[in-house]
Amino acid sequence: TESKYHSHGENLKTGSTNLGSAVTGSSLTTVLPASSTVKKSIVLSSESRKELAKQVKVTKEERRAQIDGRHRYLISRLADGIDLSEQQVEEIIISDDKFQLIEQFFAPSGLKKLLFFYQDVLQQKSNASLRPDGSTNNLPQKKLFITMGSTEDFTGTCAFFLRRSDEVITASNVSQEVNFGMFDCTNGNILQGLEFFLSQIMIPSLKSQQNWGAVKEGLKNSQIQEFLYAVDKFVSTLSSSRQNIEDKIQLTKVDVDIYVRNLQNPSDYITAG
């Protein structure tokens, strides 16, 4: 009996209907019932998930072993500024796929800033049921995550760390070389958050600062005074612009018909002008 087989999904031609020949010459999935194939896929998927979970656990423990005084400083500042415990912050950081940004921030001449967003993020529950249209219920949930600040929408709180120099960040100098701050942008109101940050935090801090480095006169120096005046002016402009955008400054609508109703000829228009 002559049989011809073509791989990769081509037609299977056979001159015999003998079942034994079919089993011998075809792939296992060709003769297995559909239900058996599905079960095999489920088993493989489950094994893959277990392997992935094992790899994630190993990665987290490797990162946890790297935690030192520098990381502890960041973790404590974040825990103080956000309603989370230090243990929660640590777990979040070592689970973040951008964990390497922290190491890049510590490195000599490294990243100038390190940003964390704490805001509502749509997350799908693992046991969520499908809707009739095939979609799932995504619920907003507060999440802390590392970000570059350029890919995610900013709608909550930004906690930031800024370097003061290009020196390598160590456990002994982290408190001197790294500045920490927070910027609130609840409900996506960035301008209001910036206005509050500058007017209530930065400007009072600058005006109370005694040491201005090489500038010996400090606040009495004319350049320092001009700088502070410029910052004050910027905040005032920012506040005015924000109120305009929010329609808090509204122009009165004028009923033009009252003025033009009785205008009949060109002389009337000239008089009205």
Side-chain angles (χ1 to χ4, degrees):
T1 302
E2 180 184 2
S3 299
K4 297 181 181 179
Y5 305 95
H6 298 274
S7 59
H8 305 296
E10 296 181 0
N11 293 332
L12 174 64
K13 296 181 180 180
T14 179
S16 171
T17 57
N18 183 273
L19 179 60
S21 176
V23 171
T24 304
S26 61
S27 65
L28 185 60
T29 54
T30 304
V31 297
L32 282 175
S35 59
S36 299
T37 304
V38 172
K39 290 180 181 179
K40 183 177 179 64
S41 299
I42 294 175
V43 171
L44 290 175
S45 177
S46 177
E47 291 175 351
S48 298
R49 288 198 298 270
K50 290 180 180 179
E51 181 62 27
L52 180 60
K54 186 186 298 183
Q55 293 176 3
V56 169
K57 184 177 180 180
V58 170
T59 300
K60 287 173 61 176
E61 293 309 314
E62 289 176 349
R63 292 175 175 176
R64 197 188 306 276
Q66 299 176 27
I67 299 295
D68 57 25
R70 302 170 300 172
H71 302 81
R72 293 295 175 195
Y73 177 81
L74 305 186
I75 290 171
S76 64
R77 298 286 79 76
L78 289 170
D80 288 342
I82 299 173
D83 189 21
L84 294 173
S85 68
E86 292 191 13
Q87 292 75 16
Q88 288 175 309
V89 174
E90 177 181 328
E91 194 67 24
I92 290 169
I93 286 178
I94 64 175
S95 303
D96 199 296
D97 58 1
K98 293 186 177 66
F99 178 82
Q100 74 280 359
L101 293 182
I102 298 178
E103 303 307 315
Q104 295 175 20
F105 179 72
F106 290 151
S109 301
L111 295 175
K112 302 301 181 184
K113 65 180 184 299
L114 182 64
L115 304 179
F116 291 81
F117 283 178
Y118 183 59
Q119 59 191 25
D120 286 332
V121 176
L122 292 179
Q123 295 185 347
Q124 178 183 332
K125 290 187 176 180
S126 58
N127 59 349
S129 58
L130 291 176
R131 293 175 177 175
D133 60 359
S135 63
T136 57
N137 290 318
N138 292 327
L139 301 176
Q141 185 176 346
K142 283 282 189 181
K143 181 181 180 182
L144 175 68
F145 57 94
I146 306 171
T147 176
M148 291 295 292
S150 57
T151 54
E152 299 89 358
D153 292 334
F154 179 31
T155 59
T157 300
C158 173
F160 58 86
F161 296 91
L162 305 177
R163 294 177 61 115
R164 298 183 61 182
S165 71
D166 289 333
E167 292 185 19
V168 60
I169 305 300
T170 65
S172 60
N173 69 8
V174 62
S175 60
Q176 290 79 36
E177 292 294 331
V178 175
N179 292 327
F180 171 71
M182 296 187 66
F183 183 85
D184 185 36
C185 179
T186 306
N187 299 322
N189 197 332
I190 296 179
L191 293 182
Q192 185 174 4
L194 179 59
E195 180 187 341
F196 178 85
F197 177 73
L198 292 175
S199 64
Q200 302 299 319
I201 300 175
M202 291 303 298
I203 292 179
S205 176
L206 289 172
K207 289 183 177 180
S208 64
Q209 182 169 313
Q210 300 297 322
N211 184 9
W212 287 84
V215 182
K216 301 302 181 182
E217 301 89 348
L219 292 173
K220 296 179 180 180
N221 182 274
S222 60
Q223 292 181 330
I224 298 297
Q225 292 177 0
E226 290 177 5
F227 167 71
L228 294 176
Y229 172 77
V231 176
D232 274 325
K233 186 176 181 180
F234 172 76
V235 173
S236 177
T237 303
L238 178 64
S239 177
S240 177
S241 300
R242 177 181 60 80
Q243 292 181 27
N244 285 332
I245 292 175
E246 295 175 353
D247 294 329
K248 289 188 176 179
I249 297 179
Q250 298 180 353
L251 299 177
T252 303
K253 186 176 181 180
V254 178
D255 188 0
V256 181
D257 290 342
I258 297 177
Y259 299 96
V260 300
R261 188 177 301 143
N262 298 321
L263 300 180
Q264 303 295 329
N265 52 59
S267 61
D268 293 336
Y269 284 94
I270 294 174
T271 303

